[in-house]
């Protein structure tokens, strides 16, 4: 991965650390996000769940209500502090780690990530899905929720230009006037399905409320399987 993407990912983590206290605001202000939180009720959540990029725990509480155990991982200590208070439960474990460096120590029935896939640089996508496949128990599924292409209109693009090899980026602004660049890739259901198929996955991805995507994906069969 090039230096442009390295800088973007570092700035992305810095943003979520600095903006943890403001992160939940859209969920309070936007009815569509409040409605989206109920989607987990209809998703095939397994007994043991790994949640990647759990943030402030908006999704963690929903997962914990369905699962036997939840392991929730995020790079931002400030966001995890909020998540711990929101989803305090003996069967929820929180881990602070960089999503691109941490390796799951065991396998899970479900790997869930809400609004994280769009923050993965395209050059990292194949490795990312390989990590998820390795984290899933036999019969396990990856479940994800994210912004679809219709949400791109809400985004502010960085003023400076990047190399052609760098990831798509957007700007985030905080109340103190600071601004940060983050990776932001808007996956269309059909294109993402094709990308996953090319990696050996099977996926069902749908659009919700005309602007969000919800996907359920199953990894390639193990080598040597019939």
């Amino acid at each position: 991965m090039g230096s442009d993407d390295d800088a973007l990912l570092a700035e992305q983590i810095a943003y979520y650390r600095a903006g943890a206290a403001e992160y939940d605001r859209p969920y309070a202000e936007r009815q569509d996000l409040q409605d989206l939180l109920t989607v987990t009720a209809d998703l095939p959540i397994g007994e043991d769940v790994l949640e990647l990029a759990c943030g402030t725990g908006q999704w963690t509480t929903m997962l914990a209500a369905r699962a036997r155990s939840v392991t929730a991982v995020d790079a931002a200590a400030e966001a995890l502090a909020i998540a711990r208070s929101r989803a305090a439960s003996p069967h929820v474990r929180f881990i602070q780690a960089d999503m691109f460096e941490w390796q799951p120590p065991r396998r899970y029935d479900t790997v869930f990530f809400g609004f994280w896939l769009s923050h993965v640089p395209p050059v990292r996508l194949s490795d990312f899905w390989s990590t998820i496949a390795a984290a899933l128990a036999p019969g396990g599924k990856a479940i994800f929720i994210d912004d679809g292409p219709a949400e791109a209109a809400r985004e502010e693009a960085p003023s400076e230009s990047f190399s052609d090899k760098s990831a798509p980026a957007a700007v985030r602004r905080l109340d103190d006037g600071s601004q940060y660049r983050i990776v932001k890739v808007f996956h269309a259901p059909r294109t993402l399905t094709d990308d996953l198929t090319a990696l050996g996955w099977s996926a069902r991805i749908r659009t919700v409320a005309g602007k969000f995507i919800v996907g359920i994906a199953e990894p390639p069969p193990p080598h040597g399987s019939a």
Side-chain angles (χ1 to χ4, degrees):
M1 189 172 65
S3 58
D4 283 342
D5 283 346
D6 288 335
L8 268 176
L9 290 175
E11 203 166 324
Q12 181 167 274
I13 292 174
Y15 163 71
Y16 282 108
R17 293 193 63 190
E22 301 173 30
Y23 180 82
D24 291 337
R25 189 177 298 161
Y27 287 91
E29 297 174 345
R30 292 178 56 181
Q31 185 62 45
D32 55 356
L33 286 175
Q34 294 174 30
D35 294 341
L36 190 64
L37 287 170
T38 66
V39 167
T40 55
D42 297 322
L43 294 174
I45 305 299
E47 291 189 343
D48 295 312
V49 176
L50 171 63
E51 182 186 8
L52 299 179
C54 69
T56 59
Q58 287 279 1
W59 299 98
T60 314
T61 56
M62 308 290 179
L63 297 170
R66 302 273 312 278
R68 176 176 62 189
S69 73
V70 177
T71 300
V73 186
D74 200 276
E78 293 80 357
L80 282 173
I82 297 172
R84 285 190 177 97
S85 63
R86 168 177 277 140
S89 168
H91 66 278
V92 178
R93 177 191 181 203
F94 291 98
I95 298 173
Q96 182 184 353
D98 186 317
M99 294 297 103
F100 297 109
E101 296 179 359
W102 184 73
Q103 293 295 318
R106 50 160 295 192
R107 294 189 172 216
Y108 303 84
D109 302 305
T110 302
V111 177
F112 176 90
F113 35 105
F115 294 99
W116 170 247
L117 187 62
S118 58
H119 295 322
V120 178
V123 296
R124 293 263 190 167
L125 206 56
S126 178
D127 287 345
F128 173 71
W129 285 105
S130 293
T131 298
I132 295 173
L136 284 170
K141 296 177 176 63
I143 298 176
F144 54 91
I145 296 171
D146 217 312
D147 291 313
E151 285 291 271
R154 291 179 176 269
E155 297 295 346
E156 175 186 353
S159 57
E160 65 269 44
S161 61
F162 300 100
S163 73
D164 292 339
K165 296 181 180 180
S166 63
V171 172
R172 291 286 188 271
R173 300 178 185 274
L174 298 178
D175 289 347
D176 63 4
S178 60
Q179 65 180 54
Y180 300 82
R181 299 171 306 156
I182 63 166
V183 176
K184 194 65 179 177
V185 183
F186 294 94
H187 294 281
R190 181 177 293 276
T191 303
L192 182 55
T193 299
D194 290 345
D195 290 343
L196 284 168
T197 299
L199 295 173
W201 288 70
S202 60
R204 290 168 287 147
I205 306 171
R206 60 190 172 96
T207 300
V208 174
K211 63 188 74 173
F212 305 114
I213 61 171
V214 176
I216 302 170
E218 298 181 54
H223 290 299
S225 297

